[in-house]
Short mmCIF file of all heavy atoms in Angstrom, two decimals:
data_model
loop_
_atom_site.label_atom_id
_atom_site.label_comp_id
_atom_site.label_asym_id
_atom_site.label_seq_id
_atom_site.Cartn_x
_atom_site.Cartn_y
_atom_site.Cartn_z
N GLY A 1 -17.26 8.92 31.03
CA GLY A 1 -16.77 9.36 32.30
C GLY A 1 -15.42 8.94 32.72
O GLY A 1 -15.07 8.80 33.87
N TYR A 2 -14.53 8.88 31.73
CA TYR A 2 -13.09 8.45 31.94
C TYR A 2 -12.32 9.81 32.29
O TYR A 2 -11.54 10.29 31.49
CB TYR A 2 -12.58 7.80 30.77
CG TYR A 2 -13.16 6.52 30.59
CD1 TYR A 2 -14.19 6.30 29.74
CD2 TYR A 2 -12.60 5.27 31.09
CE1 TYR A 2 -14.76 5.05 29.47
CE2 TYR A 2 -13.18 4.04 30.89
CZ TYR A 2 -14.27 3.93 30.04
OH TYR A 2 -14.84 2.68 29.80
N GLY A 3 -12.64 10.37 33.48
CA GLY A 3 -12.07 11.63 33.74
C GLY A 3 -10.55 11.70 33.93
O GLY A 3 -9.96 12.81 33.79
N GLY A 4 -9.94 10.61 34.24
CA GLY A 4 -8.50 10.64 34.44
C GLY A 4 -7.75 10.76 33.06
O GLY A 4 -6.89 11.67 32.96
N ILE A 5 -8.13 10.03 32.13
CA ILE A 5 -7.54 10.04 30.78
C ILE A 5 -7.89 11.36 30.13
O ILE A 5 -7.02 12.01 29.51
CB ILE A 5 -8.02 8.86 29.94
CG1 ILE A 5 -7.61 7.59 30.55
CG2 ILE A 5 -7.42 8.91 28.53
CD1 ILE A 5 -8.14 6.32 29.90
N VAL A 6 -9.13 11.75 30.23
CA VAL A 6 -9.54 13.08 29.64
C VAL A 6 -8.78 14.21 30.28
O VAL A 6 -8.32 15.13 29.60
CB VAL A 6 -11.10 13.25 29.77
CG1 VAL A 6 -11.50 14.68 29.34
CG2 VAL A 6 -11.82 12.25 28.94
N GLY A 7 -8.71 14.17 31.60
CA GLY A 7 -8.05 15.28 32.33
C GLY A 7 -6.53 15.44 31.86
O GLY A 7 -6.01 16.55 31.63
N VAL A 8 -5.81 14.36 31.80
CA VAL A 8 -4.40 14.41 31.41
C VAL A 8 -4.26 14.84 29.93
O VAL A 8 -3.39 15.62 29.65
CB VAL A 8 -3.75 12.93 31.62
CG1 VAL A 8 -2.42 13.00 31.07
CG2 VAL A 8 -3.80 12.60 33.09
N GLY A 9 -5.15 14.32 29.14
CA GLY A 9 -5.01 14.63 27.68
C GLY A 9 -5.56 15.99 27.26
O GLY A 9 -5.34 16.41 26.10
N GLN A 10 -6.33 16.67 28.09
CA GLN A 10 -6.97 17.93 27.61
C GLN A 10 -6.07 19.08 27.37
O GLN A 10 -6.44 20.01 26.60
CB GLN A 10 -8.02 18.29 28.64
CG GLN A 10 -7.48 18.91 29.96
CD GLN A 10 -8.51 19.14 30.99
OE1 GLN A 10 -9.44 18.33 31.14
NE2 GLN A 10 -8.49 20.29 31.71
N GLY A 11 -4.75 19.01 27.68
CA GLY A 11 -3.81 20.07 27.44
C GLY A 11 -3.13 19.94 26.06
O GLY A 11 -2.42 20.81 25.64
N SER A 12 -3.44 18.78 25.41
CA SER A 12 -2.74 18.49 24.15
C SER A 12 -3.61 18.64 22.95
O SER A 12 -4.85 18.48 23.03
CB SER A 12 -2.18 17.05 24.15
OG SER A 12 -1.67 16.68 22.93
N ALA A 13 -3.06 19.00 21.81
CA ALA A 13 -3.74 19.10 20.54
C ALA A 13 -4.02 17.66 20.07
O ALA A 13 -4.85 17.45 19.16
CB ALA A 13 -2.89 19.82 19.47
N ASN A 14 -3.36 16.66 20.62
CA ASN A 14 -3.49 15.31 20.20
C ASN A 14 -4.44 14.63 21.31
O ASN A 14 -3.93 14.33 22.40
CB ASN A 14 -2.19 14.59 20.11
CG ASN A 14 -1.28 15.17 19.05
OD1 ASN A 14 -1.71 15.35 17.98
ND2 ASN A 14 -0.11 15.47 19.49
N PRO A 15 -5.66 14.29 20.98
CA PRO A 15 -6.66 13.82 22.03
C PRO A 15 -6.28 12.43 22.37
O PRO A 15 -5.65 11.64 21.75
CB PRO A 15 -7.97 13.89 21.29
CG PRO A 15 -7.63 13.90 19.81
CD PRO A 15 -6.35 14.57 19.70
N PRO A 16 -6.77 12.01 23.57
CA PRO A 16 -6.44 10.77 24.26
C PRO A 16 -7.29 9.61 23.61
O PRO A 16 -8.24 9.77 22.91
CB PRO A 16 -6.75 10.94 25.65
CG PRO A 16 -7.91 11.89 25.71
CD PRO A 16 -7.55 12.84 24.49
N ARG A 17 -6.89 8.36 24.05
CA ARG A 17 -7.56 7.10 23.60
C ARG A 17 -7.47 6.13 24.75
O ARG A 17 -6.56 6.10 25.54
CB ARG A 17 -6.84 6.55 22.38
CG ARG A 17 -6.92 7.36 21.04
CD ARG A 17 -8.34 7.39 20.52
NE ARG A 17 -8.38 8.06 19.20
CZ ARG A 17 -8.66 9.28 19.02
NH1 ARG A 17 -8.76 10.14 20.13
NH2 ARG A 17 -8.73 9.85 17.81
N LEU A 18 -8.45 5.26 24.75
CA LEU A 18 -8.40 4.09 25.58
C LEU A 18 -8.63 2.87 24.66
O LEU A 18 -9.62 2.82 23.93
CB LEU A 18 -9.49 4.08 26.71
CG LEU A 18 -9.50 2.85 27.58
CD1 LEU A 18 -8.19 2.72 28.35
CD2 LEU A 18 -10.75 2.86 28.54
N VAL A 19 -7.66 1.91 24.66
CA VAL A 19 -7.70 0.76 23.87
C VAL A 19 -8.01 -0.51 24.75
O VAL A 19 -7.30 -0.65 25.73
CB VAL A 19 -6.45 0.54 23.09
CG1 VAL A 19 -6.47 -0.77 22.18
CG2 VAL A 19 -6.17 1.78 22.12
N ARG A 20 -8.92 -1.29 24.33
CA ARG A 20 -9.15 -2.58 24.99
C ARG A 20 -8.91 -3.66 24.03
O ARG A 20 -9.47 -3.76 22.92
CB ARG A 20 -10.59 -2.75 25.46
CG ARG A 20 -10.89 -4.00 26.19
CD ARG A 20 -12.32 -4.19 26.58
NE ARG A 20 -12.61 -5.35 27.34
CZ ARG A 20 -12.82 -6.61 26.85
NH1 ARG A 20 -12.84 -6.72 25.54
NH2 ARG A 20 -13.08 -7.66 27.64
N LEU A 21 -7.93 -4.56 24.35
CA LEU A 21 -7.62 -5.75 23.50
C LEU A 21 -8.01 -7.01 24.28
O LEU A 21 -7.99 -6.98 25.54
CB LEU A 21 -6.15 -5.81 23.24
CG LEU A 21 -5.52 -4.65 22.49
CD1 LEU A 21 -4.09 -4.44 22.94
CD2 LEU A 21 -5.64 -4.87 21.02
N SER A 22 -8.36 -8.03 23.57
CA SER A 22 -8.73 -9.31 24.29
C SER A 22 -8.33 -10.54 23.51
O SER A 22 -8.44 -10.57 22.27
CB SER A 22 -10.22 -9.35 24.69
OG SER A 22 -10.96 -9.41 23.48
N TYR A 23 -7.83 -11.52 24.32
CA TYR A 23 -7.53 -12.81 23.71
C TYR A 23 -8.36 -13.87 24.56
O TYR A 23 -8.47 -13.71 25.85
CB TYR A 23 -6.04 -13.15 23.96
CG TYR A 23 -5.71 -14.60 23.98
CD1 TYR A 23 -5.59 -15.40 22.84
CD2 TYR A 23 -5.53 -15.36 25.26
CE1 TYR A 23 -5.42 -16.75 22.92
CE2 TYR A 23 -5.27 -16.62 25.34
CZ TYR A 23 -5.23 -17.34 24.15
OH TYR A 23 -4.92 -18.72 24.21
N THR A 24 -8.99 -14.77 23.84
CA THR A 24 -9.88 -15.74 24.58
C THR A 24 -9.42 -17.08 24.22
O THR A 24 -9.06 -17.41 23.10
CB THR A 24 -11.40 -15.54 24.32
OG1 THR A 24 -11.54 -15.61 22.93
CG2 THR A 24 -11.86 -14.15 24.79
N HIS A 25 -9.51 -17.99 25.17
CA HIS A 25 -9.21 -19.43 24.91
C HIS A 25 -10.50 -20.17 25.24
O HIS A 25 -11.16 -19.99 26.30
CB HIS A 25 -8.07 -19.93 25.87
CG HIS A 25 -7.57 -21.27 25.47
ND1 HIS A 25 -8.30 -22.42 25.75
CD2 HIS A 25 -6.44 -21.63 24.80
CE1 HIS A 25 -7.54 -23.47 25.32
NE2 HIS A 25 -6.44 -23.04 24.81
N PRO A 26 -10.95 -21.10 24.33
CA PRO A 26 -12.17 -21.74 24.61
C PRO A 26 -12.32 -22.60 25.86
O PRO A 26 -13.44 -22.90 26.38
CB PRO A 26 -12.32 -22.67 23.32
CG PRO A 26 -10.95 -22.87 22.80
CD PRO A 26 -10.27 -21.53 23.14
N GLU A 27 -11.16 -23.09 26.40
CA GLU A 27 -11.16 -23.92 27.51
C GLU A 27 -10.63 -23.21 28.80
O GLU A 27 -10.42 -23.81 29.85
CB GLU A 27 -10.28 -25.15 27.29
CG GLU A 27 -10.83 -25.97 26.21
CD GLU A 27 -9.98 -27.11 25.86
OE1 GLU A 27 -9.07 -27.58 26.72
OE2 GLU A 27 -10.00 -27.71 24.81
N ALA A 28 -10.55 -21.84 28.72
CA ALA A 28 -10.04 -21.04 29.86
C ALA A 28 -11.09 -21.01 31.01
O ALA A 28 -12.24 -20.86 30.74
CB ALA A 28 -9.63 -19.67 29.46
#
């Protein structure tokens, strides 16, 4: 249901992506 990213990317031959990165600290 990521309609914003899909909507913007639907005009391109190169499809969109959503990347999630994470850094964790054991004492955070």
Side-chain angles (χ1 to χ4, degrees):
Y2 294 90
I5 298 173
V6 170
V8 173
Q10 71 188 40
S12 173
N14 299 307
R17 295 287 186 270
L18 177 64
V19 176
R20 181 185 184 275
L21 299 152
S22 64
Y23 156 80
T24 57
H25 191 286
E27 299 177 18

